[in-house]
Amino acid sequence: MQNIIFFGDSLTAGYGLPASAAFPTLLQQRIDSLKLPYKAINYGVSGETTAGGRQRIASVLQRQPVDVFVLELGANDGLRGIPVRETIQNLQAILDQVQLKYPAAQIVLVGLEFPFDLSAFGSHQYGRYAAEFKALFRTLAEKNQVAFVPFLLQSVLGRRDLNLPDGVHPNAEGYKIVANNVWAVLGPLLQASSSFSG
């Protein structure tokens, strides 16, 4: 059995919902139905920033071997307006630690976009921040040559029927779409790996 580590914040943890509704659990159901030899392990912590993840990653990497690592962090940085360069440095440090300890691990970086359209506030500064924030994920993925999910909340963000009342976190229906967004990238990677090793 190979381990898939889902390392993220409330979007990975499945904030406000039972664990069975979180997208790593939904992906495990799909993995099982395809009889692929993978176990999804959810290391999502609500409220975590990339700085928090950078501090936490070493202890997570010591707990079990990592075959696939899915990194979803940055949303809380965006909400707090943390400078994009700091978010980049922290995510790069996490990627570096994973690659150092498990050089053979496959890595998937999950892209995020700023949850709100801030241009309505009439400040170009916010719009520029949102654009830089969105771009940082693809830039990091290309630099590190890792698999990339362009936008975790594609087709979910901004839809009341697919989110909790806070408008930020997906509900159970929303997470089904989130799982599809991740599977579009993760699925082919797992199927290629298992057919290669088998």
Side-chain angles (χ1 to χ4, degrees), residues 66-69 98-99 101-107 146:
V66 177
D67 301 290
V68 181
F69 186 85
V98 175
Q99 289 170 325
K101 191 160 176 66
Y102 297 104
Q106 305 242 37
I107 297 178
V146 298

Side-chain angles (χ1 to χ4, degrees), residues 21-109:
F23 80 83
T25 309
L26 300 178
L27 291 175
Q28 182 71 66
Q29 294 167 6
R30 203 168 297 196
I31 288 165
D32 293 345
S33 72
L34 293 167
K35 296 183 168 54
L36 294 171
Y38 290 94
K39 180 182 173 193
I41 306 171
N42 190 338
Y43 280 108
V45 172
S46 291
E48 181 134 280
T49 59
T50 56
R54 184 176 184 170
Q55 291 173 330
R56 180 168 68 105
I57 184 62
S59 66
V60 169
L61 295 178
Q62 283 166 355
R63 283 180 207 168
Q64 69 282 300
V66 177
D67 301 290
V68 181
F69 186 85
V70 181
L71 176 57
E72 176 279 307
L73 275 178
N76 291 305
D77 293 42
L79 289 170
R80 295 178 190 193
I82 290 169
V84 167
R85 68 178 180 277
E86 287 185 30
T87 301
I88 292 171
Q89 287 167 355
N90 289 331
L91 290 172
Q92 185 63 58
I94 293 168
L95 293 171
D96 288 345
Q97 287 193 54
V98 175
Q99 289 170 325
L100 189 67
K101 191 160 176 66
Y102 297 104
Q106 305 242 37
I107 297 178
V108 178
L109 181 64

Side-chain angles (χ1 to χ4, degrees), residues 5 31 37 60 77 119 136 140 149-150 157 169 194:
I5 303 303
I31 288 165
V60 169
D77 293 42
S119 55
L136 79 86
L140 264 181
V149 177
L157 188 69
H169 296 96
S194 53

Side-chain angles (χ1 to χ4, degrees), residues 9-11 72-82 111-121 126-127 129-131 133-134 137 151-154 156-159 163 166-170:
D9 51 34
S10 57
L11 295 172
E72 176 279 307
L73 275 178
N76 291 305
D77 293 42
L79 289 170
R80 295 178 190 193
I82 290 169
L112 297 162
E113 293 179 19
F114 208 74
F116 312 106
D117 179 9
L118 296 173
S119 55
F121 292 115
Y126 285 122
Y129 180 84
F133 180 81
K134 175 183 175 180
F137 296 96
F151 181 31
L152 181 72
L153 300 177
Q154 184 72 44
V156 178
L157 188 69
R159 287 189 51 181
N163 286 278
D166 64 13
V168 177
H169 296 96

